[in-house]
Amino acid sequence: MSPIPRRTVIKAAAIAGAATQFSWALGANAPTATAADDTPAEVVWLEDGGLGQAPGSTFGVPWPKGRYAAGTAFALAAEDGTDIPVQTWPTAYWPDGTLKWTAHAVGPDAGPAAKYTLTPGSVAEAPAKPVTVDRAGGTIDVDTGVVVTRIGKSGSTLIKSVLRGGTEIAKDGRLVLIRQPEISEGDQGSDKWERFESVIGEVAVEQDGPVRAVVRIDGKHRKGSRQWLPFSIRLYFYAGADSFRMVHTITYDGTQEPGQNSGDFIRGLGVRFTVPMRDAAYDRHVRLAGETISGKTGFLTEAVQGITGLRRDPGATVRAAQVAGEKLADPATWDQRVTTRLQYIPQWGDYTLSQLSADGFTLRKRTTPGHGWIGAGGGGRATGFGYVGGAGGGLSFGLRDFWQKHPAQLDIRDAHTDEAEVTVWLWSPEAQPMDLRFYHDGMGQDTYAEQLEGLNITYEDYEPEFGTPYGIARTSELYFWANAATPTAAVLAGQAAVVRTPAQLAAAPAVLHRAGVFGGLFTPVDRSTAAKAAIEDHLDFLFTYYKDQVEQRRWYGFWDYGDIMHTYDPSRHQWCYDVGGYAWDNSELSPDLWLWYAYLRSGRADIFRFAEAMTRHTGEVDVYHLGQWAGLGTRHGVQHYADSAKQQRISNTTYRRYYYFLTADERVGDLMHANVDSDETFLVLDPIRKIRTEPYTPDRHALSIGFGTDWSGLASAWLTEWERNGPKAEKAKARLLGTMETIAAQPNGFVQGSGLYDLDTGRFAIASAPVVGVSHLSAVFGLVEICAEVIDLVEVDGFKAAWLDYCRYFNATKTQQAARYGSNFGTLLLFQGHARLDAYAAVQTGDDTLAARAWSKFYNSDGYVETATTWKTTALAGPDVLVPGGEAAWVSTNSTAQYGLAAIQNLALVGDKM
């Protein structure tokens, strides 16, 4: 019963690999599903339009504890009763061994139905054209029943060939990297470029059908003897599909020193294919998508050798056929004034569409290298999709979030020759080189005391050599279609729509709520009373405001897209994008959780996509994946990696769990698994080194780890590995339960604040004396959510009581705190956000006074309270602002995240006590 699919690993140096399967033995009394339990789960498309031209869709569904045994079969049916082929695998288990989450994949057979039902206990329908994987030869051959893709096992070519009906549509799929070793300053310079290509290190078949197959390729970029910039590529194939999806991740391991103009500057980063061109030049076609406005996508629609618009007319039928991408009739049937002069009509072999900002793209073409380019148009925001080929077949290609993650570019080269070349640039070589150098020199902040002084003015925790990008990562998504002929305009528009917004099936909010997952801290949206409706309006206001601010403030770019800003400067009518720790938010106070809980209860597609972009960003860019700080994230700052606070609270697995379980995304699964051993990072870096007053040297058997922001990140990683039954599940389970037991055994439980942790035993030492160590930050980085989950899952003596005590006394009076613990908790903040702790304790203890206090703190403490200026925006225009728009100067991301979580959880827990 393995949620991690069988994985055949093929080394470049040793082709023969061994299949590995992880198992988790069930107890003899594991519950089994019964007929009475077989409640179908409703599944719907996230956006209207269904699957469209997408290769397929993968989605997750939760199940109530004890409902279905491991190995339970599932079947999917459309609303008209049609059986849909579906592939199923477990992604999480309850502690009793029953299924907690399952993942399901469908291919083109899913059709256009508006909704589906997933029924346990049935045999899944087999696909008409199952996807198969053949590992036997020199390549890994994946056959969808329509397209065969041959994947390399070694060398520089990732995809050797893509064939449809025996015709080779594309070949030599590889990665390309352009390095620029120096950045010129001023108005003079002579830039030198070096080109690196992919080299395969390891290949793994992670799934092999019958509906879905996944192949992972890991390696680096190489030129000569140097290899750098590790990549991880996953290729996704679905039964019956004529396309495949690529998930492309790079991890930066170069050097860029502040104050220096030399280093590893990326000038271009892309994916490249060769496309055979067999047709006559007038039967070769180029399509490049422009802007999408009101759901309609514009296209450049041209032939390599165009016969429209000429001085002589070949004939209306011929002209119409070329524009439609159809194979033309024999030129002998055309107007002979055109036919006899074909050799004089130029052939346009090269096209480039570059998107260097969020607001503008340019398109140009030329005949051949060495000749001038001519402008072919431009616009605002290109879709990031193109096609090159002919009547005998061709390749469609696209990059998701093309303009949002600018600078990006699409290149077609040599389309007039026997082999065209397509490059999808994730970083356009026409842009400025990727400059990741730290943005200032520290201004004399050499000692901790001086750095703390700097923190007091700019709120940036600076430390020399800590503002490094070494180890950060970025993931991109690409799509490729192998077309038997040049697609019609409608098909091209459908393919472009997939690139823009991939088809996603999703379990309905009622299904998510009924399963009792994520600690039971959410309920579906409810506007049944005026008070509830008012809170729902406020939640809608806050989400809409941030969505609009992303657009107004242009929070876009390769490294930035998905994040939001932390603090607003009303004097400049601008977010503090340039003020230390007030700039990028980097998950501070858990906006990720606010967004995911908002989605879980509403099922809104716009919230899902916003949270998806944030999860992709914060899990990759704000976290180190290589080097000494691997497993740690970086606190908020002007650059995502600028702050010297490298902590668990940012790499927190809790922020990734929702997207993983809803989509079964393997890349996010990698990120969560990588955190299992992140307790080792406390040997490398003391998170409170600058403010610690007592002498402290990291000791493997006595590491100082906080019970709040530190433990919540560790606990979520351990819980996730355990319930996923990952390769370190037993270790993770032991550490989770061991730390829960030893937190509960502390003299003051969670109020103790921290403990000395032994890396070898995975337990905290029990303190000899009680201490009050409470911070208003302890519970606001996922601790509330992780405690609710683990308390619901397992019973550990004293743990629930210790957590309920913390919940009961944080918002208590200082007199009440002192009476319980001997001293009060000192000066605290975030009472509104902590109202959800009162609500949780109220439900667990049946204490209505705590329920009343939850609403009192929610409405009448700090955070967002009803005033004449709240819950509205002020229009901005004129010389005071860069672009017109709106502002809500009272909004801060800290308060938004905590208000959102308190509102959602209070409504779920004590909504009947308002």
Side-chain angles (χ1 to χ4, degrees):
M1 46 175 291
S2 172
I4 300 178
R6 188 177 59 205
R7 185 171 186 261
T8 303
V9 178
I10 302 172
K11 297 275 190 179
I15 300 302
T20 305
Q21 188 164 13
F22 305 107
S23 62
W24 187 8
L26 286 174
N29 297 319
T32 57
T34 66
D37 294 329
D38 292 346
T39 305
E42 182 179 296
V43 182
V44 298
W45 292 107
L46 194 60
E47 286 95 359
D48 294 336
L51 191 64
Q53 297 295 323
S57 182
T58 300
F59 60 97
V61 175
W63 305 103
K65 184 167 25 180
R67 181 67 59 86
Y68 300 117
T72 299
F74 292 88
L76 189 71
E79 55 189 333
D80 64 358
T82 302
D83 289 332
I84 306 298
V86 63
Q87 181 172 319
T88 297
W89 64 100
T91 51
Y93 301 93
W94 295 99
D96 64 4
T98 57
L99 294 172
K100 185 175 185 182
W101 284 90
T102 51
H104 308 270
V106 296
D109 290 335
K115 63 181 179 179
Y116 306 82
T117 53
L118 189 69
T119 305
S122 303
V123 178
E125 178 74 10
K129 297 178 179 178
V131 62
T132 61
V133 179
D134 183 355
R135 308 165 174 83
T139 58
I140 296 173
D141 296 350
V142 182
D143 186 349
T144 69
V146 178
V147 172
V148 176
T149 303
R150 292 176 175 161
I151 300 165
K153 296 178 178 179
S154 62
S156 62
T157 304
L158 277 59
I159 297 179
K160 300 285 189 181
S161 185
V162 180
L163 301 100
R164 179 167 183 166
T167 300
E168 188 172 57
I169 301 298
K171 64 180 182 177
D172 297 337
R174 67 269 194 204
L175 308 184
V176 59
L177 164 68
I178 299 174
R179 173 184 178 266
Q180 183 172 315
E182 294 183 352
I183 288 184
S184 301
E185 302 288 353
D187 56 4
Q188 295 184 3
S190 55
D191 296 338
K192 296 179 180 179
W193 296 4
E194 296 178 317
R195 191 178 79 180
F196 292 70
E197 288 193 342
S198 46
V199 57
I200 296 171
E202 180 177 294
V203 180
V205 176
E206 294 185 326
Q207 280 191 328
D208 56 7
V211 175
R212 180 185 192 248
V214 183
V215 179
R216 174 175 174 171
I217 310 170
D218 290 278
K220 294 186 177 181
H221 296 80
R222 179 178 65 188
K223 178 190 177 186
S225 61
R226 187 184 181 192
Q227 295 187 27
W228 74 296
L229 200 69
F231 65 80
S232 182
I233 301 291
R234 277 189 172 90
L235 302 172
Y236 293 83
F237 304 89
Y238 290 83
D242 62 356
S243 59
F244 61 90
R245 172 176 175 246
M246 174 187 288
V247 175
H248 172 292
T249 300
I250 53 107
T251 304
Y252 186 80
D253 65 342
T255 300
Q256 294 187 20
E257 298 297 334
Q260 303 296 317
N261 292 337
S262 61
D264 295 312
F265 300 99
I266 294 175
R267 185 68 193 231
L269 179 69
V271 179
R272 179 169 289 170
F273 278 90
T274 297
V275 181
M277 304 294 282
R278 303 176 184 84
D279 298 281
Y282 51 76
D283 275 334
R284 300 179 184 183
H285 308 114
V286 171
R287 305 288 187 262
L288 288 166
E291 291 190 82
T292 300
I293 299 174
S294 300
K296 296 183 178 180
T297 302
F299 280 88
L300 176 83
T301 302
E302 297 202 351
V304 170
Q305 188 180 41
I307 57 171
T308 65
L310 298 174
R311 186 178 184 187
R312 305 303 180 191
D313 186 0
T317 302
V318 178
R319 284 189 281 108
Q322 188 178 65
V323 171
E326 299 169 359
K327 184 174 178 60
L328 301 188
D330 189 326
T333 65
W334 307 355
D335 187 313
Q336 290 304 293
R337 292 175 299 174
V338 176
T339 302
T340 58
R341 295 177 174 87
L342 272 175
Q343 69 269 29
Y344 301 119
I345 302 174
Q347 296 183 22
W348 301 93
D350 296 353
Y351 290 77
T352 287
L353 187 155
S354 58
Q355 180 92 44
L356 303 186
S357 76
D359 296 302
F361 72 87
T362 58
L363 180 56
R364 65 186 192 275
K365 67 180 185 179
R366 68 182 179 185
T367 53
T368 57
H371 295 80
W373 293 90
I374 67 168
R381 294 168 168 175
T383 303
F385 172 83
Y387 165 85
V388 66
L395 182 71
S396 298
F397 48 90
L399 172 62
R400 187 180 178 193
D401 296 329
F402 185 76
W403 62 265
Q404 294 95 327
K405 291 168 69 175
H406 65 82
Q409 184 168 309
L410 302 178
D411 282 353
I412 296 171
R413 296 288 184 268
D414 299 326
H416 63 296
T417 70
D418 291 342
E419 293 184 340
E421 187 178 77
V422 167
T423 307
V424 181
W425 293 102
L426 285 59
W427 186 280
S428 165
E430 296 184 5
Q432 290 296 307
M434 188 186 292
D435 191 349
L436 301 176
R437 293 172 294 182
F438 188 72
Y439 76 103
H440 72 81
D441 63 8
M443 296 171 286
Q445 299 175 54
D446 298 322
T447 68
Y448 285 169
E450 291 167 329
Q451 291 161 25
L452 290 172
E453 284 301 305
L455 179 67
N456 282 330
I457 185 64
T458 65
Y459 201 40
E460 179 171 69
D461 199 358
Y462 170 82
E463 191 168 343
E465 300 181 359
F466 273 65
T468 176
Y470 187 95
I472 67 172
R474 195 52 157 144
T475 290
S476 304
E477 298 177 49
L478 302 92
Y479 287 83
F480 300 93
W481 284 262
N483 303 284
T486 298
T488 65
V491 170
L492 286 166
Q495 293 175 349
V498 171
V499 172
R500 188 170 60 252
T501 309
Q504 180 64 59
L505 281 169
V511 175
L512 300 173
H513 176 249
R514 185 171 66 236
V517 291
F518 301 132
L521 298 179
F522 67 94
T523 49
V525 172
D526 178 6
R527 293 179 172 272
S528 60
T529 69
K532 290 181 178 180
I535 293 176
E536 298 293 354
D537 288 344
H538 296 166
L539 291 170
D540 288 348
F541 171 89
L542 290 170
F543 172 73
T544 301
Y545 182 67
Y546 275 87
K547 185 171 71 170
D548 291 347
Q549 287 294 289
V550 169
E551 170 63 9
Q552 179 181 333
R553 310 295 178 172
R554 299 303 191 268
W555 292 339
Y556 301 119
F558 182 83
W559 290 109
D560 296 334
Y561 179 59
D563 207 352
I564 55 180
M565 287 279 169
H566 183 281
T567 300
Y568 195 72
D569 179 359
S571 298
R572 289 187 289 171
H573 305 288
Q574 173 66 280
W575 290 83
C576 297
Y577 70 97
D578 58 351
V579 182
Y582 285 134
W584 290 114
D585 191 70
N586 284 32
S587 297
E588 184 72 1
L589 270 65
S590 304
D592 319 57
L593 297 184
W594 157 54
L595 291 167
W596 280 121
Y597 273 91
Y599 167 73
L600 292 172
R601 64 197 301 270
S602 69
R604 283 176 50 177
D606 55 350
I607 298 177
F608 179 95
R609 297 303 183 186
F610 201 99
E612 177 185 37
M614 181 173 287
T615 300
R616 282 282 190 225
H617 170 90
T618 58
E620 302 277 8
V621 182
D622 299 343
V623 177
Y624 289 105
H625 310 275
L626 290 175
Q628 61 179 331
W629 298 322
L632 295 177
T634 303
R635 176 184 177 271
H636 42 111
V638 172
Q639 293 164 298
H640 298 286
Y641 47 85
D643 201 273
S644 76
K646 314 297 185 185
Q647 297 182 346
Q648 283 284 330
R649 75 191 206 189
I650 305 303
S651 60
N652 198 324
T653 299
T654 307
Y655 301 145
R656 329 286 174 232
R657 286 165 50 81
Y658 306 90
Y659 185 63
Y660 173 77
F661 288 124
L662 291 167
T663 66
D665 183 83
E666 281 84 0
R667 173 57 187 168
V668 172
D670 293 344
L671 300 179
M672 299 191 303
H673 172 68
N675 283 341
V676 174
D677 295 324
S678 58
D679 50 356
E680 297 278 350
T681 60
F682 287 90
L683 279 174
V684 178
L685 192 66
D686 176 14
I688 60 171
R689 61 196 176 280
K690 296 186 182 181
I691 59 174
R692 194 183 292 281
T693 55
E694 73 280 7
Y696 175 73
T697 300
D699 177 349
R700 182 174 186 83
H701 303 293
L703 290 169
S704 180
I705 292 181
F707 298 158
T709 58
D710 295 336
W711 183 78
S712 62
L714 294 171
S716 65
W718 295 332
L719 169 62
T720 306
E721 182 76 357
W722 177 26
E723 63 185 355
R724 289 179 69 200
N725 189 27
K728 297 183 179 180
E730 288 305 317
K731 173 183 177 180
K733 174 184 176 182
R735 272 164 164 63
L736 177 64
L737 299 182
T739 52
M740 290 172 65
E741 180 183 335
T742 47
I743 288 173
Q746 301 297 329
N748 277 342
F750 274 97
V751 173
Q752 193 80 13
S754 65
L756 296 178
Y757 175 76
D758 189 325
L759 275 170
D760 292 340
T761 66
R763 300 169 68 86
F764 289 103
I766 309 304
S768 58
V771 172
V772 171
V774 175
S775 167
H776 53 270
L777 296 180
S778 294
V780 296
F781 286 84
L783 184 65
V784 174
E785 291 72 25
I786 203 67
C787 283
E789 285 211 56
V790 297
I791 288 171
D792 183 52
L793 291 175
V794 293
E795 290 187 18
V796 173
D797 287 346
F799 183 85
K800 179 178 178 180
W803 176 238
L804 290 179
D805 253 15
Y806 188 91
C807 293
R808 180 189 295 273
Y809 284 99
F810 184 95
N811 272 340
T813 66
K814 291 188 175 182
T815 299
Q816 291 170 326
Q817 292 167 354
R820 169 66 178 84
Y821 289 102
S823 63
N824 63 56
F825 293 177
T827 302
L828 297 174
L829 303 170
L830 305 179
F831 301 113
Q832 183 179 66
H834 281 76
R836 67 192 197 273
L837 279 71
D838 292 319
Y840 181 79
V843 170
Q844 293 293 325
T845 64
D847 188 341
D848 284 349
T849 62
L850 287 175
R853 192 173 77 189
W855 287 115
S856 175
K857 292 295 183 181
F858 179 78
Y859 282 118
N860 303 307
S861 57
D862 53 7
Y864 293 154
V865 295
E866 197 78 43
T867 70
T869 59
T870 52
W871 314 118
K872 62 183 66 175
T873 59
T874 301
L876 293 175
D880 289 338
V881 293
L882 182 63
V883 294
E887 77 172 3
W890 51 274
V891 167
S892 76
T893 302
N894 279 359
S895 296
T896 294
Q898 289 304 295
Y899 176 90
L901 286 167
I904 291 168
Q905 294 177 21
N906 274 16
L907 287 171
L909 295 166
V910 291
D912 60 338
K913 305 291 184 181
M914 295 179 72

